[in-house]
Amino acid sequence: MFDLLASKGSKEILEYIREQMKEKPDDRKSSSVDINAHFTGDEAPEMLTTATIYRRLKELELVGFIIRQPPDSNTFILTQQAIDILDRQILQHPEITELKRSHRSLLRQIRQHKNANVIELQEKAQLSPTTINVGLQKLSNLGLIEPIKVDKKKPIGSLKRPGRPKKRHKLTKKGEEIYEAQAMLEEEQTK
């Protein structure tokens, strides 16, 4: 579910359908043609290709965020699940939907294994060093982690590995909140 929300265009399509439902209470449906015209036009808030739009509509329908109304038509409405997630989680913590699976895994590993460096994270999360570095940068840009100040006199970790001390990170207060909200959402999805 989170990977789909992190995909380009998913949140925008959901928000567009939601706006249409608010603007037209009598006719709360949004057709795929209208959605396509909105995101491919000259004044589109975010340019998406037609293929991307129809792919996202299909994925959102499979996950249960949107349904066809009436069935076998090309008009969509949001499900109650999507409305709840948009209202409760995305508005409170929009960062949740920006995290891909590897970033969420990295966030979990940093929380579980405090003071872990890139090498230790690579061993525990089973991610490549490049993915870990990109993920650390993304998490840092979102304000979810911060580097730990290392006392140069007192080394942390193993002295067996030569070279300069490796950077270590910890979750910020915001990172803890995001982690808890994400865990709660994942638990709800598995029920």
Side-chain angles (χ1 to χ4, degrees):
M1 173 190 79
F2 290 114
D3 289 333
L4 176 59
L5 291 175
S7 299
K8 183 178 179 180
S10 294
K11 286 187 293 188
E12 293 82 1
I13 290 172
L14 288 174
E15 286 294 333
Y16 175 75
I17 295 173
R18 182 181 189 190
E19 288 173 18
Q20 295 302 311
M21 290 174 67
K22 286 181 181 177
E23 288 177 13
K24 303 185 257 181
D26 299 334
D27 181 28
R28 302 169 10 137
K29 301 175 264 189
S30 298
S31 74
S32 56
V33 175
D34 294 339
I35 295 168
N36 187 40
H38 179 74
F39 287 105
T40 57
D42 293 334
E43 298 173 8
E46 181 165 341
M47 291 297 288
L48 300 173
T49 65
T50 300
T52 300
I53 293 167
Y54 284 98
R55 187 178 321 115
R56 293 296 175 259
L57 286 172
K58 185 67 173 173
E59 292 168 347
L60 291 168
E61 185 179 13
L62 288 173
V63 172
F65 282 160
I66 59 176
I67 57 172
R68 293 176 188 263
Q69 189 68 26
D72 298 335
S73 69
N74 286 332
T75 56
F76 299 95
I77 61 170
L78 293 179
T79 62
Q80 190 59 44
Q81 174 192 17
I83 293 171
D84 290 345
I85 288 175
L86 288 171
D87 288 341
R88 189 167 36 116
Q89 294 301 326
I90 294 176
L91 295 179
Q92 291 176 4
H93 302 291
E95 297 86 0
I96 291 176
T97 60
E98 294 182 27
L99 300 178
K100 295 182 179 179
R101 180 176 292 136
S102 59
H103 300 149
R104 292 192 313 272
S105 172
L106 194 55
L107 187 68
R108 185 172 25 268
Q109 291 300 325
I110 291 172
R111 184 170 190 262
Q112 291 174 353
H113 306 284
K114 295 179 179 15
N115 296 335
N117 63 25
V118 174
I119 295 170
E120 294 165 347
L121 287 172
Q122 181 183 356
E123 293 168 359
K124 291 177 173 91
Q126 298 179 351
L127 299 170
S128 72
T130 304
T131 303
I132 290 175
N133 287 328
V134 169
L136 289 174
Q137 185 63 44
K138 175 79 170 181
L139 294 172
S140 181
N141 290 345
L142 290 172
L144 304 181
I145 62 171
E146 63 186 6
I148 296 174
K149 306 271 190 230
V150 178
D151 184 9
K152 301 214 183 223
K153 297 176 187 173
K154 197 163 128 184
I156 298 175
S158 173
L159 295 176
K160 294 178 185 175
R161 296 186 182 163
R164 59 190 177 130
K166 306 296 182 211
K167 292 183 181 177
R168 298 173 183 275
H169 295 83
K170 67 177 182 176
L171 293 181
T172 61
K173 185 177 179 183
K174 181 179 177 182
E176 287 287 343
E177 291 173 7
I178 296 297
Y179 179 80
E180 295 298 328
Q182 170 193 322
M184 186 178 71
L185 260 177
E186 286 177 347
E187 185 178 311
E188 286 178 7
Q189 292 303 312
T190 57
K191 289 181 181 177

